[in-house]
Amino acid sequence: METLDLPPMIRAAGTVRLPGSKSISNRVLLLAALADGQTRVHDLLRSDDTERMLEALRTLGVNWQCDAASGAYRVDGVAGRFPVTEADLFLGNAGTAFRPLTAALALSGGNYRLSGVPRMHERPIGDLVDALSQLGAAITYTGNAGYPPLSIGKGAIRAGGTVSVRGDVSSQFLTALLMAAPLTGVEIHIEVVGELISKPYIEITLNLMARFGVTVTREGWQRFTVPGGVRYRSPGDIHVEGDASSASYFLAAGAVGGGPVRVEGVGRDSIQGDVRFAEAIAQLGVEVTLGDTWIEARGPADGRLKAFDMDLNHIPDAAMTLAVMAVFCDGPCHLRNIASWRVKETDRIAAMATELRKLGVEVEEFDDALRVVPPTELRHAAIDTYDDHRMAMCFSLISLAGVGVTINDPACVNKTFPVYFDAYRSITEAVPVIAIDGPSASGKGTVAARVAEALGYHYLDSGSLYRLVALAAIQADAGDDPAAVAALAEALPAEFVGGRILLSGADVTDAIRSEDCAAMASKVAAIPAVRDALLERQRAYRRAPGLVAEGRDMGSVVFPDAANKFFLTASVTARAERRYKQLMEKGLPANIDSLSEELSLRDARDAARSVAPLMKLPDAILVETSDMSIDEAVRFVTERIA
Ligand SMILES: Nc1ncnc2c1ncn2[C@@H]1O[C@H](COP(=O)(O)OP(=O)(O)O)[C@@H](O)[C@H]1O
Ligand SMILES: Nc1ccn([C@H]2C[C@H](O)[C@@H](COP(=O)(O)OP(=O)(O)O)O2)c(=O)n1
């Protein structure tokens, strides 16, 4: 499985141009296909879900073309009748394609089979099928009753009258019915059974139908009337707004990462309900500014977001972003009335609770709500994304909480926002790392500590971790058993307290510097499982305002994104002399010839091992210190820090 490591970020600021809204894109494509005349669709979202809709329309005989120069799509409407009356359609996990196409095809007098990915076959559609059956549609379940896949037959469509549909599971059923109703040509009344959820999505539907010439009247949110004798007419050109749900991640980044972050493509005039995310975060103390076509967010003056207790039924998708923002708040937060999360790309209530807990967050899960208690400190975790784009995008924000985060299967963002992580990186700044690698006694430790002090950065002596594992292995007499050494590395009970190094509470500051320990360190360092066990431990040193890290693989493996990489070296003779002096000063036994020999051996072993070998990377600056004093080496490095 692919994974993406996001380093801890120190701040977020900048501007992002949003991709087109998924909800608007797929509605517009279907309406343009059903309309009279050609429609030019501008700023259409290009993603998996819109690909599924475009493919389906082509299979149904709808002509469409993408203009390479402008990116606009030209769709030739079929005036309510799909030319192809017999087809198999695969719709992936695109609910915004599956539901409306089911309704439109059920009323079009053909034979169709609709299927999707396994998760699509777990997402309920029975309420829509029941409503369409009242109109005489012939739909059968070819898998489990109430769920896709479906087989649609010709049916005997009864025009007119009143149809009822449940509104409390997914508002997409009502959307599908509304969009298909004009195909009957007769006035239809639609009654909603139960409390309609996600009302703003119905507003998008009504708004877009009106743009295509069909005006629906409604009495509250309970009864809708689609007039008879009307057909969809192309508006000519139509522009898709930026995706308001996608905007939420960047606005949240501005809120928790200082800001300001501006999103372009949605604003005050948006028809998408999720723009009300802006109002929601204002209640957390976020400074929000709205323009006609943009929104900007910056963090509260005192830096800490206020805890919240909100009914989020009106912004179900953007509400997921609030669940992650809760981690940044000054107290427990309550997200209410979000039952629809359970039937989305995954059971989002369960998924959100499980993944937040991995970070050390206390979460209470209810049927239709979540309570999130922010911890004092987060830990690194690898986040599972459940083939759900929003899980991946939401959890990227954790990198603004002072820890790195790993996103499993990051490509799931292709569903709505293929370039999400590039956009996220463009507005965030990672905690800077200066990586200094090199062989033993090249001076890395001395130089790194001095540079860290000068910059006020944290300092990581990664070799000391390998030396600690070596000492633990010597003490446990486990040196020859790689699995046992790896287990010691995993549990390593080491502490760094006021310049002293403790192992299981005992001061081993000097003990780990012995040549025996160095030789064992070089051996245990060649065990891949030991390196894996120490990886996150090393990365956890990356904290604001920055880190200077020294070792063998700082630039290659542990901090490959470090903006500054140096490779320190010196001749074997120079290094043996330095090490000899150093050991003598510490009162440890030493012999210059055996030191020289041991150094060469260790260089060879560190450079020849299969994992993370010692080497100069092409992007590292070479510092040859044989003829440099310590001050000269420090100055050489400092002057080259970008
Ligand atoms: N450029 C230099 N010239 C002379 N001595 C140096 C230089 N850099 C480091 N030393 C000394 O060499 C010894 C080993 O340096 P250290 O920083 O521990 O190396 P490393 O971390 O690469 O093993 C220390 O006693 C240090 O004071
Ligand atoms: N990032 C690192 C740091 C050290 N090691 C290994 C290589 C060395 O043989 C041992 C001890 O490292 P250390 O930097 O303390 O050794 P020197 O002081 O350079 O002799 O650990 C490593 O493999 N990767």
Side-chain angles (χ1 to χ4, degrees):
M1 180 187 49
E2 240 188 87
T3 64
L4 174 73
D5 289 319
L6 290 173
M9 307 290 181
I10 28 178
R11 67 177 67 88
T15 299
V16 171
R17 171 102 215 142
L18 295 167
S21 150
K22 174 183 66 157
S23 304
I24 297 178
S25 291
N26 268 354
R27 283 172 175 78
V28 164
L29 284 175
L30 182 58
L31 292 172
L34 291 173
D36 254 343
Q38 188 183 73
T39 306
R40 279 170 307 283
V41 186
H42 303 273
D43 303 322
L44 187 85
L45 170 66
R46 303 184 85 157
S47 71
D48 286 351
D49 279 16
T50 50
E51 282 299 316
R52 294 296 84 73
M53 179 63 106
L54 284 164
E55 271 168 22
L57 293 176
R58 177 154 284 160
T59 307
L60 292 168
V62 178
N63 273 324
W64 57 260
Q65 264 162 1
C66 179
D67 178 54
S70 67
Y73 283 74
R74 275 183 292 120
V75 181
D76 294 323
V78 298
R81 289 224 149 261
F82 290 116
V84 175
T85 55
E86 185 95 39
D88 284 335
L89 303 177
F90 174 76
L91 298 164
N93 200 7
T96 54
F98 207 109
R99 281 72 177 265
L101 277 170
T102 297
L105 294 174
L107 304 186
S108 356
N111 292 301
Y112 304 99
R113 281 155 307 274
L114 274 62
S115 64
V117 297
R119 173 63 189 167
M120 193 73 233
H121 297 172
E122 293 169 7
R123 299 175 68 183
I125 197 161
D127 295 330
L128 175 61
V129 171
D130 290 349
L132 291 165
S133 303
Q134 294 167 43
L135 286 172
I139 305 174
T140 49
Y141 301 110
T142 54
N144 293 329
Y147 299 85
L150 302 177
S151 172
I152 296 174
K154 286 199 168 74
I157 302 305
R158 162 183 74 76
T162 300
V163 184
S164 54
V165 64
R166 267 182 71 179
D168 52 356
V169 174
S170 167
S171 66
Q172 285 187 21
F173 302 149
L174 177 58
T175 282
L177 212 54
L178 284 165
M179 291 211 299
L183 299 182
T184 65
V186 181
E187 182 180 84
I188 292 185
H189 304 285
I190 302 173
E191 272 180 6
V192 178
V193 181
E195 169 75 16
L196 180 64
I197 60 166
S198 315
K199 297 183 181 80
Y201 284 107
I202 299 302
E203 291 204 74
I204 296 181
T205 306
L206 299 183
N207 188 305
L208 292 173
M209 285 172 70
R211 300 276 287 281
F212 280 84
V214 175
T215 306
V216 177
T217 50
R218 66 177 173 91
E219 291 155 45
W221 293 102
Q222 243 33 66
R223 192 176 156 87
F224 297 78
T225 302
V226 182
V230 287
R231 21 167 59 185
Y232 290 123
R233 275 177 284 103
S234 166
D237 289 83
I238 190 158
H239 289 261
V240 175
E241 281 184 18
D243 191 282
S245 314
S246 300
S248 70
Y249 313 109
F250 302 104
L251 296 176
V256 302
V261 173
R262 179 179 285 210
V263 292
E264 290 179 345
V266 289
R268 202 185 290 125
D269 300 336
S270 170
I271 62 168
Q272 297 169 74
D274 269 356
V275 286
R276 293 188 60 197
F277 176 77
E279 288 164 28
I281 59 172
Q283 291 181 46
L284 277 57
V286 179
E287 288 178 34
V288 184
T289 321
L290 277 102
D292 289 346
T293 57
W294 55 266
I295 309 177
E296 193 173 277
R298 67 175 78 213
D302 66 2
R304 198 76 204 262
L305 300 184
K306 287 203 281 282
F308 61 88
D309 182 338
M310 286 186 215
D311 183 319
L312 296 166
N313 192 264
H314 60 299
I315 50 170
D317 287 340
M320 288 179 74
T321 313
L322 275 162
V324 174
M325 288 178 83
V327 169
F328 296 81
C329 287
D330 63 3
C333 299
H334 219 126
L335 295 93
R336 295 182 194 273
N337 207 356
I338 51 171
S340 67
W341 284 23
R342 297 224 181 255
V343 294
K344 298 286 175 126
E345 280 78 346
T346 183
D347 176 343
R348 287 177 167 167
I349 294 187
M352 183 59 73
T354 307
E355 301 310 310
L356 282 174
R357 285 185 191 125
K358 284 187 186 167
L359 299 162
V361 182
E362 186 188 323
V363 185
E364 262 185 277
E365 188 185 329
F366 304 91
D367 285 349
D368 65 345
L370 276 176
R371 182 170 177 273
V372 180
V373 185
T376 42
E377 202 166 347
L378 291 175
R379 56 173 177 254
H380 171 271
I383 301 298
D384 286 317
T385 48
Y386 308 80
D387 201 16
D388 184 350
H389 54 139
R390 299 207 185 284
M391 287 294 287
M393 296 191 277
C394 276
F395 276 88
S396 65
L397 294 167
I398 292 299
S399 62
L400 282 159
V403 288
V405 64
T406 302
I407 306 290
N408 291 338
D409 186 24
C412 65
V413 299
N414 289 348
K415 186 171 168 66
T416 49
F417 202 159
V419 295
Y420 173 74
F421 289 106
D422 293 334
Y424 185 69
R425 272 195 212 97
S426 77
I427 56 141
T428 47
E429 193 181 320
V431 172
V433 173
I434 298 166
I436 304 183
D437 288 304
S440 181
S442 55
K444 347 173 259 309
T446 311
V447 171
R450 293 261 302 260
V451 171
E453 198 182 345
L455 296 174
Y457 281 12
H458 300 278
Y459 165 53
L460 167 63
D461 166 10
S462 62
S464 68
L465 293 173
Y466 288 95
R467 286 172 180 263
L468 279 161
V469 175
L471 185 62
I474 292 170
Q475 287 173 353
D477 199 14
D480 293 328
D481 181 351
V485 181
L488 288 170
E490 192 71 57
L492 198 67
E495 290 167 276
F496 294 77
V497 191
R500 309 304 295 172
I501 303 178
L502 309 182
L503 184 62
S504 300
D507 189 335
V508 295
T509 317
D510 292 330
I512 61 164
R513 296 295 153 199
S514 75
E515 278 307 293
D516 283 354
C517 216
M520 180 61 92
S522 153
K523 280 186 199 142
V524 302
I527 304 171
V530 168
R531 306 200 72 84
D532 281 350
L534 295 181
L535 188 61
E536 282 312 324
R537 193 166 186 138
Q538 296 173 80
R539 287 187 176 156
Y541 281 81
R542 187 175 192 170
R543 302 247 157 189
L547 174 69
V548 184
E550 54 104 345
R552 303 292 189 283
D553 61 344
M554 298 299 99
S556 59
V557 175
V558 184
F559 304 109
D561 68 321
N564 292 283
K565 297 181 186 178
F566 294 94
F567 189 82
L568 258 66
T569 189
S571 67
V572 172
T573 319
R575 292 189 284 130
E577 276 167 15
R578 289 176 192 173
R579 187 60 92 220
Y580 179 76
K581 263 174 99 185
Q582 200 180 20
L583 291 172
M584 294 313 265
E585 277 161 21
K586 284 201 158 91
L588 294 165
N591 169 298
I592 188 94
D593 290 336
S594 65
L595 269 175
S596 193
E597 202 177 310
E598 183 59 32
L599 271 181
S600 306
L601 260 175
R602 209 132 67 80
D603 285 358
R605 193 157 48 214
D606 291 346
R609 68 175 176 231
S610 58
V611 280
L614 171 68
M615 59 167 182
K616 184 199 161 302
L617 298 167
D619 59 345
I621 297 173
L622 181 70
V623 192
E624 160 53 81
T625 67
S626 302
D627 297 321
M628 285 185 191
S629 69
I630 294 177
D631 283 345
E632 282 169 340
V634 171
R635 199 172 327 120
F636 185 95
V637 166
T638 314
E639 283 171 357
R640 281 163 183 78
I641 292 171

